[in-house]
Amino acid sequence: MKVMLVPPKQKAVFTYSIVRNLRTFWMFYVMMLPGIVLLLINNYIPMSGIIIAFKTINYQEGILGSPWTGLKNFEYLFASKDSYIIIRNTLLYNSLFIVLNIVFPLAFALMLNEMKNRFLSKLHQTIMFLPYFLSMIVISYLVYGFMSDERGYFNGTLLPALGLEPVRWYFTKEVWPIILPIINTWKNMGYYTVVYMAAIIGIDEEFYEAATIDGANKWQQMKKITIPLIMPVITIMTLLQIGRIFNADFGLFFQVPRESGALFPVTNVIDTYVYRTFLTVGDIGLSSAAGLFQSVVGFVLVFISNWVVRRFNRENALF
Amino acid sequence: MANIMSKSVSGSQSKNQLSGRASALINIFFVIYSALCILPLLLIVSVSFSDEQSVMTHGYRFLPENFNLAAYRFLIKDIDQIVHSYGISITVTVIGTILSVIVIAMYAYPISRSHFPQAKFFTFFVFLTMLISGGLVPWYLVYVQMLDLRNTLWSLIMPLIMSAFWVLIMRTFFKETVPEAVLESAKIDGAGELRIFIRIVLPLSLPVLATVALFQTLTYWNDWFLSLVFISDNHNISVQYFLYKMMVNIQYLSSNPNAMAEITRAGGMVNFPSETVRMAMVVVGVGPIVFAYPFFQKYFIKGLTVGSVKG
């Protein structure tokens, strides 16, 4: 019976089905039109622009008319020692950020969840969320307030009080690999803590009641119930970040170190490199080569990490 | 019997709580951490209320020395620029957020309908943009060379209207929350798709619409990257970009004649209270967010759990 209801496979002309589709769903297409146009402008037309990386652009002849140069831009890129530095910085910082964005917010969420006073717990969550709402410009001012050479709180008050010599923070590259992760964690703490809190609150209370009756202590409950049950959320949050491991937080690396050249060895990442070589130096070929390299590797990484997760647990995979 | 049961249950609950000491430690820990979230802002506020001279000699302090309002008095003289920048930021944020919610909802609805044969294709069409990008250079060239939008407000609005992430969230919400049966019966009653969308789907989806609106408001208000890339003249300077320019060069504040006259009266650049004015400007720029966020943070949190990206 059911088979009868399905129309027999039509051998009708292809255009016929298009016309029928348009006639039934024309309103859907009209509704999606603005979105489609914006996706084309913001994403798809630029994607076709990756040919720029294989050309020597000169403005007289335009992008299409400019001569092809093969992989020359990439050769320049990888011959420079910048390429090593920016790739290393991007990967190391982002890997560290991913770990910190799991460990600390998760610990915070677990602790907040144990807080008996609901009002205090909410209050702390609200305050912790504050940095997430500040722009990187404002954060760079806050950091400057502490670390400015002459008048910053560290050099002006804290270090003298401890009997230490002032440090020229914006010229001391050794401290930034510590400072930047702290700022990143501090800014995102509220967001990730809330995500993990929501997952923890969603766990059925009965699990804990049963565990308590069986004599499990808090630590055991956390290890055997809470963490395993919110694993899907942890995986998805991590996967989303691994997919972007080649994309640095431009604001953090551009604004917060205030473009201090002395810090470039530890603050230059792919995104800031692309920005500077393109809009400050004006080298289109080099910057688009770096940009394309970033996209391709990022794309591959998303697929690999998703594939790995799929192998362990299909449910947790992103797609 | 019932009495014993309830006793044992309440007994187990009290057993399943942290010891007094552990919970005191947790409380202390969070008080300290919360302080760390507020103190940096407090430092800025304190400097903005300080006397320039004492800031120069003693550096930034958490409590203002020689409390004075000179910095704010100076900013009031320079109010035109501040009002103008606020105007730009508000315009971009309001227009951007409204367009964003409309465009995202109108894209998300068709791809949420199971009877639409192209739903899969258009879902992939938007999902792909989360995975691949053409990079900064071609994107910049599209806006500057093809569309010629440099220095316009549109260059600050258009790039952020469409967001693949929110399209997918909204699609999931439509799928799960709006009952297919209701839509079918409306259709049988002769309502067109647009009518169904406006009269039935949108009213049922207020939570997700509010969430997207909130996140987009924040994105637009805090954006400075688009200004950095596209704005090269002195007209369309948003609050964030103004703060950026002032960070790079404090004299940017005095690029308008009003402020310049004020500086001259104060005895030239040497006596100009640059440190305190700079921080006062940060306070003016960040004020609205700090006061507004506790109120909408609740919806923000709801939004984080409103739907999943999975699809």
Side-chain angles (χ1 to χ4, degrees):
Chain A
M1 266 317 272
K2 249 192 179 157
V3 183
M4 293 294 286
L5 291 175
V6 178
K9 219 170 187 148
Q10 291 193 357
K11 284 202 168 168
V13 204
F14 186 53
T15 47
Y16 171 70
S17 72
I18 288 182
V19 168
R20 204 181 49 175
N21 182 293
L22 282 177
R23 246 160 102 185
T24 323
F25 297 110
W26 66 275
M27 188 39 101
F28 279 174
Y29 292 111
V30 173
M31 285 168 76
M32 287 192 298
L33 191 63
I36 294 172
V37 170
L38 282 168
L39 286 175
L40 288 175
I41 292 175
N42 288 328
N43 304 93
Y44 286 96
I45 299 175
M47 271 182 218
S48 65
I50 56 175
I51 56 165
I52 296 171
F54 302 99
K55 288 191 163 203
T56 306
I57 298 296
N58 67 56
Y59 281 110
Q60 276 89 47
E61 293 171 62
I63 291 169
L64 292 175
S66 297
W68 294 92
T69 52
L71 295 175
K72 224 162 85 194
N73 287 325
F74 292 91
E75 278 163 26
Y76 278 130
L77 175 68
F78 291 110
S80 74
K81 78 174 195 308
D82 285 338
S83 65
Y84 165 72
I85 290 175
I86 59 173
I87 293 169
R88 179 201 66 186
N89 286 349
T90 309
L91 282 179
L92 284 184
Y93 277 120
N94 276 341
S95 313
L96 186 58
F97 292 171
I98 292 173
V99 175
L100 295 176
N101 283 342
I102 295 172
V103 174
F104 283 99
L106 193 56
F108 274 48
L110 289 168
M111 286 196 287
L112 276 175
N113 196 44
E114 293 302 330
M115 235 179 197
K116 275 170 234 153
N117 189 328
R118 285 291 124 197
F119 171 76
L120 274 183
S121 161
K122 276 262 151 11
L123 183 70
H124 287 305
Q125 278 183 60
T126 305
I127 296 174
M128 271 162 58
F129 227 134
L130 173 63
Y132 183 79
F133 288 83
L134 304 177
S135 76
M136 269 302 171
I137 308 262
V138 172
I139 291 187
S140 83
Y141 273 99
L142 300 184
V143 173
Y144 180 77
F146 283 92
M147 312 220 294
S148 121
D149 265 357
E150 298 143 38
R151 289 176 283 279
Y153 185 75
F154 288 160
N155 282 356
T157 310
L158 192 66
L159 293 181
L162 295 170
L164 296 170
E165 288 295 305
V167 178
R168 299 197 70 198
W169 300 100
Y170 288 97
F171 294 90
T172 313
K173 63 174 199 256
E174 288 77 15
V175 297
W176 287 87
I178 301 164
I179 292 169
L180 291 173
I182 291 176
I183 296 168
N184 183 66
T185 311
W186 178 78
K187 182 168 166 47
N188 293 318
M189 185 70 86
Y191 177 86
Y192 287 111
T193 304
V194 161
V195 170
Y196 292 131
M197 273 288 271
I200 292 173
I201 289 170
I203 297 173
D204 198 331
E205 197 59 38
E206 281 178 20
F207 286 113
Y208 295 102
E209 281 164 19
T212 326
I213 291 167
D214 288 346
N217 63 27
K218 274 279 159 201
W219 184 252
Q220 289 166 323
Q221 288 176 29
M222 191 186 88
K223 259 187 11 195
K224 300 285 182 199
I225 301 173
T226 315
I227 301 225
L229 282 176
I230 61 170
M231 212 54 201
V233 179
I234 300 178
T235 321
I236 286 180
M237 294 318 276
T238 313
L239 214 54
L240 285 173
Q241 291 179 79
I242 291 179
R244 300 188 53 80
I245 200 165
F246 243 58
N247 298 70
D249 181 348
F250 181 81
L252 179 65
F253 294 97
F254 184 79
Q255 296 290 358
V256 179
R258 307 186 68 218
E259 289 197 76
S260 167
L263 302 178
F264 279 178
V266 293
T267 59
N268 210 2
V269 288
I270 302 177
D271 295 82
T272 51
Y273 176 83
V274 171
Y275 174 82
R276 286 194 192 107
T277 40
F278 178 43
L279 287 170
T280 317
V281 183
D283 192 329
I284 294 191
L286 207 53
S287 53
S288 41
L292 178 58
F293 173 69
Q294 181 183 39
S295 307
V296 170
V297 178
F299 183 64
V300 171
L301 282 175
V302 179
F303 269 90
I304 293 176
S305 53
N306 191 65
W307 179 76
V308 171
V309 174
R310 246 179 118 90
R311 286 206 54 178
F312 286 111
N313 187 346
R314 249 189 101 89
E315 284 283 291
N316 290 359
L318 205 55
F319 49 87
Chain B
M1 184 65 186
N3 202 9
I4 296 168
M5 285 283 283
S6 72
K7 231 179 198 167
S8 79
V9 166
S10 71
S12 80
Q13 267 171 351
S14 72
K15 211 179 118 203
N16 195 20
Q17 277 183 348
L18 285 180
S19 67
R21 217 178 58 180
S23 102
L25 276 178
I26 287 180
N27 273 310
I28 294 169
F29 175 83
F30 277 108
V31 169
I32 294 172
Y33 188 80
S34 291
L36 288 178
C37 291
I38 297 175
L39 282 179
L41 270 176
L42 220 59
L43 185 65
I44 301 293
V45 174
S46 156
V47 172
S48 77
F49 283 112
S50 295
D51 173 46
E52 180 79 10
Q53 215 48 51
S54 60
V55 169
M56 286 306 211
T57 44
H58 300 299
Y60 301 156
R61 296 273 172 93
F62 279 105
L63 289 172
E65 279 171 90
N66 301 329
F67 181 92
N68 94 32
L69 293 170
Y72 290 95
R73 240 176 268 133
F74 181 88
L75 283 188
I76 288 175
K77 299 264 166 46
D78 196 27
I79 198 83
D80 290 348
Q81 177 64 52
I82 295 173
V83 169
H84 182 73
S85 287
Y86 257 93
I88 300 284
S89 278
I90 292 172
T91 311
V92 167
T93 305
V94 170
I95 296 178
T97 305
I98 293 173
L99 285 179
S100 191
V101 172
I102 295 174
V103 170
I104 290 176
M106 290 207 306
Y107 193 96
Y109 176 62
I111 62 172
S112 76
R113 298 303 310 275
S114 53
H115 75 287
F116 180 41
Q118 272 67 43
K120 265 218 154 72
F121 170 77
F122 283 105
T123 308
F124 183 72
F125 189 71
V126 71
F127 181 62
L128 191 66
T129 63
M130 284 173 87
L131 300 180
I132 321 178
S133 90
L136 174 74
V137 181
W139 173 79
Y140 175 87
L141 292 178
V142 167
Y143 271 91
V144 170
Q145 306 243 317
M146 250 177 74
L147 304 173
D148 197 18
L149 287 177
R150 204 203 314 237
N151 286 326
T152 62
L153 285 185
W154 283 112
S155 70
L156 304 180
I157 295 175
M158 258 171 66
L160 295 172
I161 291 179
M162 193 63 173
S163 151
F165 180 79
W166 290 117
V167 168
L168 296 179
I169 293 275
M170 228 188 242
R171 162 181 167 270
T172 312
F173 189 92
F174 289 157
K175 259 196 160 139
E176 286 173 358
T177 319
V178 185
E180 192 88 6
V182 174
L183 301 180
E184 284 308 319
S185 68
K187 215 171 165 194
I188 290 164
D189 290 346
E193 286 294 351
L194 189 65
R195 211 181 147 80
I196 295 176
F197 174 67
I198 293 172
R199 290 291 170 83
I200 300 175
V201 177
L202 289 187
L204 283 173
S205 308
L206 287 180
V208 76
L209 297 177
T211 304
V212 175
L214 274 176
F215 272 89
Q216 290 298 83
T217 305
L218 188 72
T219 308
Y220 276 111
W221 183 265
N222 274 346
D223 180 70
W224 45 269
F225 181 72
L226 295 173
S227 305
L228 184 68
V229 173
F230 291 127
I231 303 295
S232 54
D233 65 7
N234 274 335
H235 188 67
N236 290 329
I237 307 288
S238 67
V239 174
Q240 300 296 330
Y241 197 46
F242 187 71
L243 290 176
Y244 168 73
K245 290 205 148 197
M246 207 175 62
M247 177 63 123
V248 176
N249 180 7
I250 179 65
Q251 293 184 30
Y252 182 76
L253 188 66
S254 49
S255 62
N256 69 62
N258 254 353
M260 207 54 224
E262 194 56 31
I263 290 171
T264 320
R265 201 139 54 81
M269 272 319 277
V270 186
N271 291 329
F272 165 61
S274 61
E275 293 292 322
T276 52
V277 166
R278 193 199 287 249
M279 294 313 181
M281 188 57 216
V282 177
V283 173
V284 171
V286 83
I289 286 266
V290 171
F291 286 110
Y293 98 92
F295 298 103
F296 57 72
Q297 181 232 16
K298 189 170 71 188
Y299 302 98
F300 228 77
I301 293 175
K302 265 197 203 127
L304 291 176
T305 47
V306 84
S308 73
V309 220
K310 240 175 115 88

